[in-house]
Amino acid sequence: MDQPSLYDDDIVSWAEEQAAALRELATRPGLTNALDWENVIEEIETSGRSQIQGVESALSLVLIHALKYLSASVAQPASSWRVGGLTYQTTARRNDRPAMRQRIDWEDLWISAKTSADAQLRLFGDRLVDGLPAAMPFTSDELVSRGFDMDRALERLASAMEMPGDRH
């Protein structure tokens, strides 16, 4: 094949298109019943969803590691959180496809990351810093950018923090 297919460029959209085509095909009279249409369609849809979940998981870990790095007073684990965050960002960037970003609940991702980071920090006797923004402080483009930089991300996060008494 000379041209990359939609499968190569955007597996999520590919899976949705294939599932729709199979649904249409399955309604045609006279087709063989040798195929388990319902489960074949479900498997194709699941492949697209699992790709999204993989990117979402990696992005969640980027946020969790950044939050722990920003909040931790214990120096030992903090350096591994910084490196881990960069590793997960690379994974998210490599697996990200355009159609995925519109299917991720970014606010829920942020809230869940804060909850997880706080729970993990408490294992070390720490907790999240006060004043973290209620809303996701990063755009999806920033989080999957080839130029992602943990220091800049931490600066953005710190600048988005609310000071005591701040109410917008």
Side-chain angles (χ1 to χ4, degrees), residues 26-93:
T27 63
R28 293 185 184 171
L31 278 182
T32 178
N33 288 331
L35 283 177
D36 180 353
W37 291 102
E38 186 177 323
N39 286 317
V40 169
I41 291 166
E42 177 62 27
E43 286 300 316
I44 289 172
E45 288 176 329
T46 298
S47 73
R49 285 192 303 267
S50 70
Q51 296 293 319
I52 294 168
Q53 290 166 348
V55 169
E56 190 174 44
S57 176
L59 290 170
S60 176
L61 290 167
V62 170
L63 295 171
I64 289 168
H65 280 65
L67 287 164
K68 290 190 304 187
Y69 186 77
L70 180 69
S71 300
S73 62
V74 180
Q76 179 64 29
S79 60
S80 67
W81 292 331
R82 187 178 198 291
V83 171
L86 292 172
T87 301
Y88 291 119
Q89 190 278 335
T90 299
T91 299
R93 179 182 52 79

